[in-house]
Amino acid sequence: MHEPSPPPPASSPSRRVGVLVLPGFSLLAQACATEPLTVAGQLAGAPLYRLVTLGAAVQPVASASGQRLLAELSLAQPGLSEPGLAQPGLSEPGLSEPGLAQPGLAQPGLAESGPAEPGLAPAAADLDMLLVCAPGAQAADEALRRRLVELAIPGRLIAGIGGGAELLARAGLLDGYRATVPWQHLEAVRRAHPRIRLSRQPFEIDRERLTCGGGTAALDMMMTLIGRQHGSQLAERVSAHFVLERVRMGEEPSGQPLGGVPESLAEALALMEANVEEPLTTAELAEHLGISRRQLERLFKKHLQAVPSRYYLDLRLQRARRLLRESEHPAGEVAMLTGFSSAAHFSTAYRNHFGLTPREERLG
């Protein structure tokens, strides 16, 4: 049983989170993205995150299921980019209240993620993170996309939830970043936005951009973020609150249906999963499947955007990471269980992939 995570120091400010909802957004994905933040504050006994719902206008916004959320502030609200900087031309008469952006004024309607902290008034001008919940890129016009670009200032996290990731792509905010989108639209987004480093993972966190395919992937993504910002113990307690076995990592398979891939590719993946301790060569995989090595490589490139050897290595390293995190096996034994010939080779491959050594992973 983990010891309770200590609350952040009293001087540590809450992170202010804007949740943009656009008509047709997924209520499930929105809840999966915001509930972990609220629960984290409750478990820590401190207001770690303060949430405000934003919309194109201050009015109820219908989700895909027909249920509505009230947008408390308009996205055109002056001051959302930087304190004191109004954004002319986007405000709608009667929908924005300039006084809300003035320093020192309390912001009505902001939901706290924990007990109120005396003297800490959330300010819409100081968003630390913006979550974009939308059904797709079609949910926003050019003016709204321009507004999103204005809001993407240095130091502010911008997250695309489900179709919100497609909207960020359309706005050019994912160019040069590793990102993911709902798998049904991945190839279309890849063709339309070749500068994005698209992946098929359930979620991606790359510098100031967070993206997920929607649904419960948003839950995993936000718990990973909580772990990075407040420590793994708190993230695990949040995970336990939602009755999850563990925090799922972004590199794990997204659950994309395999029905759309050739049977030989599905068989190759199954062979890899079954032979982690003693990996097969690409030639051996092809021989088992009754196809040529070149045919197998073409299948992987077309459907998984990877060569078989690299995909296999990633799979083995993910297995190693789970063993390091969830078992008591020594690092040398983990290396053997995942097909590495030596601890040194394992450590080098692990560091190249995850940015830290197996020993650092276990200590972290």
Side-chain angles (χ1 to χ4, degrees):
M1 184 174 183
H2 294 291
E3 293 295 323
S5 299
S11 59
S12 177
S14 299
R15 288 179 168 87
R16 299 172 174 89
V17 182
V19 185
L20 173 64
V21 292
L22 297 175
F25 72 96
S26 165
L27 197 61
L28 171 63
Q30 183 271 340
C32 284
T34 56
E35 283 297 305
L37 303 180
T38 301
V39 170
Q42 293 169 347
L43 294 176
L48 302 182
Y49 302 93
R50 294 173 179 243
L51 302 144
V52 60
T53 304
L54 307 171
V58 180
Q59 61 187 24
V61 181
S63 68
S65 66
Q67 295 176 274
R68 296 171 180 267
L69 283 184
L70 175 63
E72 304 158 278
L73 292 177
S74 167
L75 192 68
Q77 177 67 45
L80 276 174
S81 291
E82 293 181 284
L85 292 184
Q87 305 297 330
L90 286 172
S91 298
E92 295 182 40
L95 294 182
S96 298
E97 299 177 27
L100 286 176
Q102 296 174 8
L105 291 185
Q107 307 301 321
L110 287 169
E112 299 174 355
S113 69
E117 185 173 326
L120 188 58
D126 297 323
L127 289 181
D128 297 294
M129 178 164 59
L130 177 66
L131 309 182
V132 180
C133 305
Q138 76 284 357
D141 58 16
E142 184 179 350
L144 193 148
R145 291 194 296 272
R146 286 201 308 268
R147 182 64 173 134
L148 288 174
V149 173
E150 292 169 352
L151 292 173
I153 61 174
R156 175 176 290 156
L157 299 180
I158 306 291
I161 311 300
E166 297 177 63
L167 177 50
L168 295 184
R170 180 77 176 274
L173 291 173
L174 299 181
D175 288 354
Y177 288 88
R178 190 176 65 253
T180 191
V181 297
W183 67 266
Q184 301 95 323
H185 305 143
L186 190 141
E187 291 306 323
V189 173
R190 188 189 303 280
R191 290 192 297 271
H193 306 286
R195 295 182 61 191
I196 302 174
R197 295 160 53 199
L198 279 174
S199 84
R200 293 178 180 270
Q201 308 302 340
F203 67 87
E204 291 284 359
I205 300 179
D206 184 6
R207 292 162 288 166
E208 297 172 341
R209 297 292 182 270
L210 298 83
T211 51
C212 69
T216 56
L219 188 70
D220 294 304
M221 181 173 75
M222 300 314 290
M223 288 193 294
T224 298
L225 180 66
I226 291 166
R228 292 187 181 185
Q229 294 180 335
H230 299 287
S232 59
Q233 287 189 3
L234 179 58
E236 288 168 9
R237 294 177 66 207
V238 174
S239 177
H241 175 90
F242 289 105
V243 201
L244 296 176
E245 179 185 356
R246 58 187 171 86
V247 177
R248 188 173 65 164
M249 295 173 285
E251 299 90 344
E252 295 183 32
S254 63
Q256 175 183 340
L258 289 177
V261 304
E263 183 179 351
S264 53
L265 178 57
E267 290 178 3
L269 299 179
L271 280 170
M272 288 178 173
E273 288 277 1
N275 293 274
V276 170
E277 189 170 348
E278 296 182 6
L280 302 170
T281 66
T282 301
E284 288 171 333
L285 285 168
E287 184 178 353
H288 276 288
L289 299 171
I291 61 177
S292 71
R293 174 174 178 155
R294 187 175 295 275
Q295 284 176 305
L296 182 60
E297 289 172 343
R298 282 200 298 264
L299 285 172
F300 268 80
K301 185 174 182 179
K302 178 179 179 180
H303 296 279
L304 299 174
Q305 290 75 53
V307 296
S309 59
R310 181 63 193 181
Y311 186 95
Y312 209 167
L313 177 62
D314 289 350
L315 185 152
R316 291 160 53 209
L317 288 169
Q318 290 303 329
R319 179 76 60 84
R321 193 179 204 186
R322 289 199 293 275
L323 288 170
L324 288 169
R325 289 183 169 187
E326 301 170 13
S327 77
E328 300 299 324
H329 293 300
E333 188 174 336
V334 170
M336 293 178 59
L337 290 171
T338 50
F340 290 91
S341 57
S342 70
H345 179 207
F346 172 53
S347 182
T348 299
Y350 199 95
R351 184 176 63 251
N352 289 341
H353 190 80
F354 295 114
L356 73 171
T357 65
R359 182 175 182 274
E360 290 168 338
E361 178 76 75
R362 178 153 277 171
L363 290 176

